[in-house]
Amino acid sequence: WDRVSADRVDRIIANSNFVAARIKKYYRKDSLVIHPPVEVSRFSISSVQKEYYLMVGRLIAYKRHDIAIEAFNRLKLPLKIIGRGPELERLQKLAGPTIEFLGRVDEVELPKYYAECRGFVFPQEEDFGIVAIEALASGRPLIAYRGGDIPEHMEEGSMGVFFEKQTSESIEAAVERFRDMHFDPVFIRSKVECF
């Protein structure tokens, strides 16, 4: 039924090149990529930089907060997690003293957390990672899993670092590399102003 219906479609729209490739593979059709809007004007670069790392998003299993928590427990580095969801209790049990759960943060306060973090941790595979774009719009570099749409938007070395496996060890190694690097917030923001 799905295949027959898809054959009658005049135009398919994808939200990233990552999704467009999946459409091509399964439906054998080209698609037009239209990225979701990200209100980049809400985010700005801060002159204040703090030592914490940040994650933002619903606390659900595929977002892989668990492996980030394990890595930051071993690294003994501060990680703030913004969001709510069904995984909260399990994740709180995994978290050591350097992990802070902030729950839901007011939309007025959220840009400040992005702008002042040392780096934004993104261990999941997303069709389109809006929160990663918000972090980049704040001039903050990513520590990101090389999957989903993120390789379309992030230049390794100048906008952050990638890790290849969704494991805590892979994140830990990426953070160690990241800590010795310097990033230009103005350059990072300029690369996502198109959104």
Side-chain angles (χ1 to χ4, degrees):
W1 177 86
D2 181 61
R3 183 58 203 232
V4 170
S5 296
D7 286 341
R8 292 191 302 246
V9 170
D10 295 317
R11 182 70 122 172
I12 298 176
I13 297 172
N15 65 353
S16 66
N17 291 317
F18 174 66
V19 172
R22 204 177 330 153
I23 290 167
K24 184 73 168 176
K25 178 179 178 180
Y26 292 107
Y27 293 107
R28 294 180 170 76
K29 289 185 176 283
D30 292 324
S31 55
L32 174 66
V33 175
I34 301 176
H35 297 297
V38 180
E39 197 176 345
V40 293
S41 62
R42 287 185 51 225
F43 303 93
S44 60
I45 296 168
S46 175
S47 59
V48 176
Q49 291 300 293
K50 298 189 177 172
E51 287 302 308
Y52 68 87
Y53 294 79
L54 182 66
M55 294 180 78
V56 176
R58 292 236 337 119
L59 304 180
I60 50 181
Y62 89 88
K63 293 195 183 269
R64 302 311 314 263
H65 291 86
D66 57 340
I67 59 175
I69 288 169
E70 289 169 9
F72 278 82
N73 281 342
R74 284 195 301 273
L75 290 163
K76 295 181 174 37
L77 291 173
L79 174 65
K80 293 183 186 292
I81 300 173
I82 294 174
R84 296 181 297 190
E87 289 277 291
L88 176 62
E89 190 174 314
R90 184 178 81 84
L91 295 172
Q92 285 175 324
K93 288 177 184 172
L94 290 175
T98 65
I99 313 300
E100 183 180 3
F101 292 87
L102 301 175
R104 185 185 180 284
V105 170
D106 184 274
E107 290 297 314
V108 175
E109 290 293 309
L110 183 61
K112 180 180 175 188
Y113 283 100
Y114 278 119
E116 293 181 356
C117 73
R118 177 148 186 203
F120 189 79
V121 182
F122 196 79
Q124 68 263 38
E125 180 177 281
E126 295 277 7
D127 291 346
F128 185 82
I130 291 176
V131 295
I133 300 299
E134 290 175 346
L136 295 170
S138 304
R140 304 317 310 139
L142 304 182
I143 300 162
Y145 173 60
R146 191 188 304 272
D149 76 305
I150 296 305
E152 297 173 36
H153 313 299
M154 185 183 107
E155 296 174 15
E156 185 156 24
S158 58
M159 297 173 72
V161 297
F162 284 113
F163 55 93
E164 306 299 325
K165 296 178 183 172
Q166 286 180 304
T167 65
S168 61
E169 294 80 11
S170 195
I171 293 174
E172 191 174 349
V175 172
E176 292 291 4
R177 287 193 325 273
F178 178 93
R179 292 175 75 188
D180 293 329
M181 299 172 74
H182 298 282
F183 300 94
D184 178 358
V186 175
F187 173 79
I188 292 171
R189 180 175 167 77
S190 74
K191 300 303 274 186
V192 296
E193 286 179 331
C194 59
F195 293 103

